């Protein structure tokens, strides 16, 4: 009801904010890269551009096409669950083996590996298609054609601001993460969250 009274740009901005701001797998990965100060700009740009492309695709009807493809939701859910499980195992291994903890100045991921992981966190998450493509696409495509571009700009603007805030704002937490214990806690939390999301995806695939 509230969204219906907003102009298109503000509507896109507000809807994007309500969907992106959560402690999800993608956000945790961007935060970790920010803490490590490792390929932050490419990772942030990838997330922002991918979100914008998905919104554009949704507004132009991709959501309806995806909903009509049988088995796609299950395939995405199982693929995402497998990737998150693999990442969770890596996080738990880092937590129990202090020698593998990553501290500032010791890069562990190449640019290609960082972007590949970012792509997996972004595109292997079924919720990105439900929220960004289908839900935002439905709202955007319901607007008059001359207003849709402003909706897309609003949604894309918030996504860019959000990912930049996580990635580049993480450096202010650097004093806390100068201690290995903080990295250990972050890895345990990350592992538990990834495992929980993977289980939810598997359950949803067979529901």
């Amino acid at each position: 009801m509230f969204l219906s009274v907003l102009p298109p740009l503000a509507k896109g901005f507000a809807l994007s904010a309500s969907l992106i701001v959560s402690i999800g797998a993608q956000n945790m990965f961007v935060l970790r890269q920010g803490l490590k100060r490792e390929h932050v700009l490419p990772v942030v740009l990838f997330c922002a551009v991918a979100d914008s492309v998905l919104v554009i695709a949704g507004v132009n009807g991709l959501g309806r096409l995806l909903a009509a493809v049988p088995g796609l939701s299950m395939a995405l859910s199982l693929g995402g669950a497998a990737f998150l499980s693999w990442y969770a195992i890596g996080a738990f291994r880092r937590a129990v083996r202090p020698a593998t903890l990553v501290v500032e100045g010791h890069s562990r991921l190449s640019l290609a590996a960082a972007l590949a992981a970012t792509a997996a966190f972004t595109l292997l998450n079924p919720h990105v298609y439900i929220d960004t493509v289908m839900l935002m696409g439905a709202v955007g495509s319901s607007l008059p054609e001359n207003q849709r571009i402003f909706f897309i700009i609003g949604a894309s603007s918030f996504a860019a601001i959000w990912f930049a805030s996580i990635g580049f704002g993480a450096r202010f937490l650097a004093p806390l993460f100068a201690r290995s214990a903080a990295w250990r806690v972050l890895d345990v939390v990350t592992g538990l969250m990834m495992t929980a999301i993977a289980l939810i995806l598997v359950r949803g695939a067979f529901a």
Side-chain angles (χ1 to χ4, degrees):
M1 185 66 179
F2 171 69
L3 286 175
S4 65
V5 301
L6 292 177
L9 192 145
K11 185 177 295 185
F13 192 93
L15 185 56
S16 179
S18 68
L19 297 175
I20 292 179
V21 179
S22 63
I23 305 177
Q26 183 191 46
N27 287 338
M28 284 294 287
F29 180 75
V30 175
L31 175 64
R32 184 177 180 85
Q33 291 303 112
L35 288 169
K36 293 161 60 180
R37 302 189 185 185
E38 183 179 282
H39 312 306
V40 180
L41 179 59
V43 167
V44 167
L45 284 176
F46 185 97
C47 291
V49 171
D51 190 270
S52 180
V53 170
L54 290 169
V55 171
I56 292 171
V59 171
N60 286 281
L62 180 61
R64 293 189 295 275
L65 177 63
L66 292 177
V69 178
L72 179 61
S73 178
M74 175 179 285
L76 287 171
S77 293
L78 294 179
F83 173 74
L84 291 175
S85 297
W86 171 80
Y87 195 85
I89 291 171
F92 287 133
R93 289 180 63 185
R94 288 193 301 268
V96 300
R97 295 175 58 189
T100 66
L101 290 172
V102 180
V103 294
E104 183 180 348
H106 293 75
S107 177
R108 291 182 57 87
L109 287 179
S110 66
L111 175 59
L115 290 177
T118 308
F121 279 118
T122 302
L123 303 176
L124 288 179
N125 178 10
H127 295 291
V128 76
Y129 300 99
I130 296 172
D131 293 344
T132 307
V133 178
M134 296 182 179
L135 197 157
M136 294 195 69
V139 174
S141 62
S142 69
L143 297 171
E145 191 168 349
N146 64 341
Q147 295 183 13
R148 294 176 187 175
I149 184 61
F150 298 104
F151 175 85
I152 292 170
I153 291 172
S156 300
S157 297
F158 181 83
I161 293 170
W162 174 251
F163 290 120
S165 298
I166 298 175
F168 293 105
R171 66 185 58 194
F172 295 109
L173 297 175
L176 173 64
F177 283 88
R179 298 176 296 174
S180 62
W183 284 102
R184 188 189 300 273
V185 170
L186 178 65
D187 282 324
V188 170
V189 171
T190 298
L192 290 173
M193 187 183 68
M194 301 297 177
T195 300
I197 296 174
L199 291 174
I200 291 171
L201 290 178
V202 171
R203 185 179 65 180
F206 294 102

